[in-house]
Amino acid sequence: MSPNSEKSINKTDNNSNNKKNLKNTRDKRKRVNRIKYGIIITVTVSILVALISVICLIVAVVKLNSRLDKIEEGSSTKTASNDVSVVNANAQNNVITPDGTDKTNVYLTFDDGPSDNTDSILDTLSRYNVKATFFLVAKEDQASKDKIKRIANEGHSVGVHSYSHKYSDIYSSLDAFKNDVSSMVNYLEPIIGYKPKLYRFPGGSSNKVTNVDIQDCISYINSQGMKYYDWNVSSGDAVSNAYTADELVENVMKDVLKYKTSVVLLHDANAKGTTAEALPRLIETLQAANVNILPITDSTPLVQHVEAK
């Protein structure tokens, strides 16, 4: 074999090897890229799954907190307001018989104020010359205190509802209950100028969330010279914001004329604008039914879901 032929063969082999090495290098790069992209995709998917899981967890926690808030602020009230028949000894005597000539006394009561709707409610009550009863919660801002002062100055009855309005705190123990009541009395007295004697249990005396024997709570209320009032007529605004103003009026009117003493549950809260909207028509409808609309006083017959033993 000539030297030229040998060189030609070596050159061909080198070219072949170079091509093979180049192909191997390219294949290796492709494998590395595939692995790299696979890792990137896996990490990205993992991050997205984790992010979605965190979002779902946050949503679940928010929904749970919302439900717990409803339990604390409304579910106990819902339990009682769906069953507004009183269970004390005077309940049967309070029912108006078909042939009776008794005139219904109606007591409009507003829980949870003061709120953004308080002034509107008071303006309506003033316009119709009607006095009502407000079971209040503590709010430390001056605007709220001014609204409470206006309630008292305009001749409405003022009662204690709760200082904190957190059911889990109020009913955690008898001492906690006593502290909530006394704190609210001490809060109200310098604002309204007298010691309040009316009380409404958060959720009603028939609430289902208390960890304390309600009879012990009742004994304490009575020992303070206070009277507690539940309700036997509900507007429905405690359990739903979906009712229209007309529906709230209808909810009241379907029951209010059944009793000699009708204590109506309404709410004065930021989310209860429909209640304030319904109030003028409610008063007009009650006045057309020839009832007395009065504030609760010491002489008002007791309307209680649970009576003292």
Side-chain angles (χ1 to χ4, degrees):
M1 181 180 294
S2 67
N4 289 337
S5 296
E6 186 174 346
K7 287 181 180 179
S8 177
I9 291 171
N10 288 337
K11 185 176 181 180
T12 301
D13 289 343
N14 288 336
N15 288 339
S16 177
N17 288 334
N18 288 338
K19 289 180 179 179
K20 189 179 293 183
N21 288 337
L22 182 60
K23 183 177 183 300
N24 288 338
T25 300
R26 287 175 178 172
D27 289 343
K28 185 176 180 180
R29 285 177 180 173
K30 287 180 181 179
R31 287 195 299 272
V32 170
N33 286 335
R34 282 198 296 269
I35 293 171
K36 187 188 299 183
Y37 293 144
I39 292 173
I40 291 172
I41 291 171
T42 300
V43 171
T44 302
V45 170
S46 298
I47 291 173
L48 287 174
V49 169
L51 184 60
I52 291 171
S53 298
V54 170
I55 292 173
C56 291
L57 180 61
I58 291 172
V59 171
V61 169
V62 170
K63 287 183 178 179
L64 178 60
N65 285 337
S66 177
R67 293 188 67 181
L68 289 175
D69 287 342
K70 289 179 181 178
I71 289 174
E72 289 203 343
E73 297 184 4
S75 293
S76 293
T77 302
K78 181 177 180 179
T79 299
S81 61
N82 282 351
D83 181 15
V84 295
S85 57
V86 290
V87 294
N88 63 29
N90 296 321
Q92 191 58 43
N93 293 333
N94 190 34
V95 176
I96 293 179
T97 58
D99 58 347
T101 58
D102 299 292
K103 190 172 183 177
T104 296
N105 291 329
V106 176
Y107 300 84
L108 301 179
T109 67
F110 295 89
D111 285 6
D112 303 347
S115 77
D116 294 342
N117 292 306
T118 302
D119 285 330
S120 174
I121 290 171
L122 291 173
D123 289 345
T124 298
L125 293 171
S126 177
R127 186 163 71 250
Y128 288 93
N129 194 28
V130 167
K131 305 301 180 187
T133 304
F134 290 79
F135 291 101
L136 303 172
V137 300
K139 295 181 180 178
E140 294 297 342
D141 61 287
Q142 189 58 48
S144 294
K145 293 179 179 179
D146 289 342
K147 290 174 184 178
I148 293 173
K149 190 173 293 186
R150 181 185 171 189
I151 290 170
N153 288 344
E154 294 187 4
H156 304 288
S157 293
V158 174
V160 170
H161 191 35
S162 168
Y163 188 87
S164 70
H165 206 252
K166 292 184 180 296
Y167 290 14
S168 57
D169 292 342
I170 299 165
Y171 294 122
S172 61
S173 68
L174 182 58
D175 285 342
F177 176 80
K178 291 178 178 179
N179 181 65
D180 186 84
V181 175
S182 62
S183 295
M184 191 59 189
V185 170
N186 292 336
Y187 167 84
L188 283 174
E189 188 170 4
I191 299 175
I192 62 177
Y194 60 88
K195 185 176 181 179
K197 297 293 186 181
L198 303 177
Y199 183 78
R200 172 164 286 164
F201 285 97
S205 63
S206 60
N207 78 81
K208 305 302 181 184
V209 297
T210 178
N211 291 321
V212 187
D213 187 334
I214 201 66
Q215 289 296 332
D216 291 336
C217 298
I218 289 172
S219 294
Y220 176 72
I221 292 298
N222 290 340
S223 73
Q224 300 304 298
M226 304 174 76
K227 291 183 178 180
Y228 66 98
Y229 284 83
D230 291 305
W231 58 91
N232 52 4
V233 178
S234 175
S235 66
D237 67 351
V239 298
S240 176
N241 289 331
Y243 285 119
T244 66
D246 286 345
E247 287 170 335
L248 292 179
V249 174
E250 290 169 6
N251 290 343
V252 172
M253 294 310 300
K254 72 181 181 182
D255 290 321
V256 75
L257 300 180
K258 294 178 182 179
Y259 307 106
K260 301 172 188 176
T261 300
S262 286
V263 179
V264 181
L265 177 65
L266 300 159
H267 283 80
D268 172 16
N270 292 341
K272 306 299 180 182
T274 307
T275 302
E277 179 188 343
L279 188 56
R281 186 189 163 198
L282 175 58
I283 292 174
E284 290 174 1
T285 305
L286 288 169
Q287 289 176 337
N290 196 32
V291 303
N292 299 315
I293 306 177
L294 305 167
I296 292 176
T297 66
D298 286 342
S299 61
T300 301
L302 295 175
V303 172
Q304 300 169 334
H305 297 154
V306 178
E307 67 173 347
K309 291 183 179 178

